Amino acid sequence: MWQGRFAQQTARLVQQFGESVSFDWRLFEHDIAGSIAHARAQLSAGLLTADEFAAIQSGLRGIESDIKAGRFEFSAALEDVHMNIEAELTKRIGPAGAKLHAARSRNDQVATDTRLYCRTSIDSLDQAVRALQNALLDQAATHAATPLPGYTHLQRGQPVTVGHHLLAYVEMLDRDRSRLTDCRARLNVCPLGSGALAGSTILLDREAIAAELGFDAITRNSMDAIADRDYLAELLFVVSLCGVHLSRLSEDLVLWCSAEFGYVTLSDAHTTGSSLMPQKKNPDVCELTRGKTGRLLGNLLAVLTTLKGLPLTYNRDLQEDKEPLFDSLDTLTLALAVNTEMIAAMQINADRCRTAAADPMLLATDLADHLVRKGVPFRDAHELVGKAVAAAVNSATPLDQLDLATIDPAFGPDAAAVFSLDRALAARSNPGAPAPDNVRAEIQRRR
Ligand code: ARG
């Protein structure tokens, strides 16, 4: 498509090194939508006859259905998806096809296609995150009142409910969805008409093109429009952070399904065995989710690194944006789907959770609060309960069976009532705290 000024053919290795059609073929639907919108603007500007436009449109639709049906053969010699489609169009409809590229460049074409690809992907990711939220909500609803130790430093801290713990992830996923929405709004701007870098002397109606493609606005600077991949880096960040959230959930589940914790049993369908140790049942989905998050972070860093040294405007380095993008979107999409299934199918072992949470040490803070209600300053109460804890540890007596009066009369005979776990949970009733009624109300609100 540029052979005019060249006396030699492109070297075979250069073709092999530079082709992108092996991966950017995935942009084909957006490329075709963009070309049809562009051709319609050419028609309005009097550059095409109605017949030529009709031939272009139906030619492109024919190519689209051939690609979808797997009947289209992409050629690496034609480098990328844009040239493959344009060359095929001209082959099919003749000279009208050769008119299509007036007033545009592959530079504004690829920028448009990639934005549309990201936009579509954001919409399906949002659905996938929502499905995972629903799976978590269902489990939280079943276990709204199931007590669970809450941890800091992976040491037992205070009692929470399983429902409250799971709803923490629902919150993180909410923020992921709101970041997807923000990212979508910023990227939904049409660069078509920016040409190679400096627009065109042929003036097409950019607003009409943008409207046809569902963009909210047009880009305001042709050079920025060609060079900009902010939207892509931003999406890769949003995807990475969502991956980090899934990875933390995975880490909780890896612990919870171990014999040491035993809080959950993952389904046979979502675990794997060992080829050597017959008894093994491994949480590979969780480990792979955690492991693949490394790829998401790597892809984000790859794109930022590609961008950081580029002078305006287009540089071929930018072609390196697509594989990380596709890989991250594919990886997160699959991770969300498999985690949704696994969470829905996992069994939460309420007895194990309750037994672990029944450790009276978890209510040491409640015991201090009990003293505070009697007028003891919190620092003094903390000290007194600390002494009680030390006495319990040293005498190997459970904290709730210690004679607290021997530590300090301030504890009073009613201190024993502190050690009711269900009461302790119900008492945590301020907004945002883990009381079962709060968890139920939260689930209700979300549903
Ligand atoms: N395949 C190229 C890419 O993905 C399309 C743009 C090519 N533009 C160019 N001036 N060589 O970046």
Side-chain angles (χ1 to χ4, degrees):
M1 295 218 172
W2 57 67
Q3 214 53 45
R5 63 101 68 215
F6 288 85
Q8 284 183 315
Q9 291 291 315
T10 311
R12 197 186 53 80
L13 279 174
V14 172
Q15 270 186 23
Q16 191 190 341
F17 193 53
E19 70 82 22
S20 56
V21 71
S22 56
F23 49 88
D24 70 14
W25 69 269
R26 292 167 61 148
L27 300 172
F28 75 92
E29 278 187 271
H30 305 301
D31 199 71
I32 286 169
S35 288
I36 291 173
H38 179 74
R40 201 186 310 279
Q42 288 180 319
L43 171 66
S44 306
L47 296 169
L48 294 177
T49 66
D51 285 350
E52 286 171 328
F53 172 73
I56 288 174
Q57 186 171 33
S58 68
L60 287 170
R61 290 289 176 221
I63 291 171
E64 184 175 36
S65 50
D66 285 352
I67 297 173
K68 281 186 179 156
R71 283 195 303 260
F72 191 89
E73 222 171 289
F74 288 105
S75 155
L78 287 166
E79 217 177 89
D80 56 26
V81 65
H82 323 292
M83 292 207 288
N84 267 270
I85 291 175
E86 193 195 324
E88 179 65 20
L89 178 68
T90 304
K91 203 165 105 191
R92 290 188 186 188
I93 69 165
K99 292 190 167 185
L100 180 61
H101 211 54
R104 78 168 184 192
S105 149
R106 280 185 296 153
N107 295 352
D108 56 351
Q109 229 181 321
V110 74
T112 305
D113 295 2
T114 316
R115 281 173 188 263
L116 291 173
Y117 189 92
C118 289
R119 190 177 77 188
T120 306
S121 304
I122 284 174
D123 293 344
S124 59
L125 274 181
D126 186 72
Q127 287 303 309
V129 177
R130 208 185 147 96
L132 177 57
Q133 286 183 307
N134 281 329
L136 288 163
L137 274 182
D138 287 343
Q139 290 284 8
T142 310
H143 294 282
T146 304
L148 184 75
Y151 296 80
T152 61
H153 314 267
L154 200 55
Q155 305 288 320
R156 287 176 180 173
Q158 294 176 334
V160 294
T161 43
V162 172
H164 194 62
H165 193 124
L166 297 179
L167 287 180
Y169 286 103
V170 176
E171 291 287 325
M172 293 175 224
L173 296 171
D174 259 358
R175 293 194 295 275
D176 291 331
R177 289 179 60 201
S178 105
R179 268 183 288 269
L180 284 171
T181 304
D182 287 351
C183 180
R184 190 191 197 285
R186 246 187 306 280
L187 70 71
N188 201 26
V189 180
C190 186
L192 218 55
S194 302
L197 78 158
S200 174
T201 58
I202 299 164
L203 307 185
L204 300 183
D205 184 347
R206 293 193 61 207
E207 297 283 0
I209 294 172
E212 176 166 343
L213 296 173
F215 284 111
D216 297 325
I218 57 171
T219 54
R220 311 304 311 180
N221 180 296
S222 65
M223 297 179 76
D224 175 50
I226 292 319
D228 174 24
R229 295 292 182 276
D230 290 8
Y231 63 92
L232 202 149
E234 187 177 350
L235 179 54
L236 288 181
F237 170 73
V238 174
V239 164
S240 297
L241 191 52
C242 184
V244 167
H245 291 149
L246 295 191
S247 188
R248 297 185 76 171
L249 173 60
S250 299
E251 180 58 19
D252 270 340
L253 293 176
V254 166
L255 291 170
W256 287 7
C257 73
S258 68
E260 283 71 13
F261 284 75
Y263 298 163
V264 301
T265 306
L266 300 175
S267 80
D268 284 0
H270 300 94
T271 46
T272 57
S274 157
S275 54
L276 179 71
M277 298 168 279
Q279 87 286 8
K280 289 302 292 291
K281 181 171 165 182
N282 297 324
D284 286 27
V285 169
C286 307
E287 295 163 70
L288 285 166
T289 303
R290 202 172 55 187
K292 285 174 190 285
T293 301
R295 281 172 53 171
L296 302 181
L297 307 188
N299 288 337
L300 167 63
L301 204 60
V303 165
L304 289 173
T305 307
T306 297
L307 293 177
K308 71 177 271 298
L310 297 187
L312 292 185
T313 53
Y314 181 82
N315 300 271
R316 191 64 180 277
D317 316 43
L318 288 174
Q319 183 170 292
E320 288 295 305
D321 63 356
K322 280 167 219 67
E323 285 165 291
L325 176 71
F326 295 152
D327 183 63
S328 282
L329 292 171
D330 292 348
T331 301
L332 184 65
T333 299
L334 199 53
L336 285 164
V338 69
N339 276 280
T340 300
E341 255 192 41
M342 183 186 69
I343 300 279
M346 80 185 179
Q347 184 199 310
I348 294 173
N349 303 321
D351 291 347
R352 286 289 300 238
C353 297
R354 177 176 278 278
T355 304
D359 176 355
M361 286 293 196
L362 286 170
L363 297 175
T365 319
D366 296 49
L367 194 57
D369 292 348
H370 164 79
L371 293 176
V372 166
R373 264 184 224 101
K374 290 174 176 273
V376 181
F378 181 75
R379 283 292 150 224
D380 299 336
H382 187 285
E383 171 83 12
L384 287 176
V385 176
K387 284 192 171 129
V389 166
V393 170
N394 293 335
S395 63
T397 311
L399 185 61
D400 57 344
Q401 278 155 51
L402 206 67
D403 184 3
L404 291 169
T406 62
I407 310 276
D408 197 286
F411 281 107
D414 49 347
V418 165
F419 291 101
S420 156
L421 178 56
D422 290 312
R423 245 188 56 172
L425 280 173
R428 289 173 157 74
S429 61
N430 234 8
D437 281 349
N438 277 1
V439 174
R440 288 187 198 102
E442 191 53 26
I443 292 164
Q444 205 51 44
R445 186 184 71 80
R446 287 180 169 282
R447 290 239 155 104

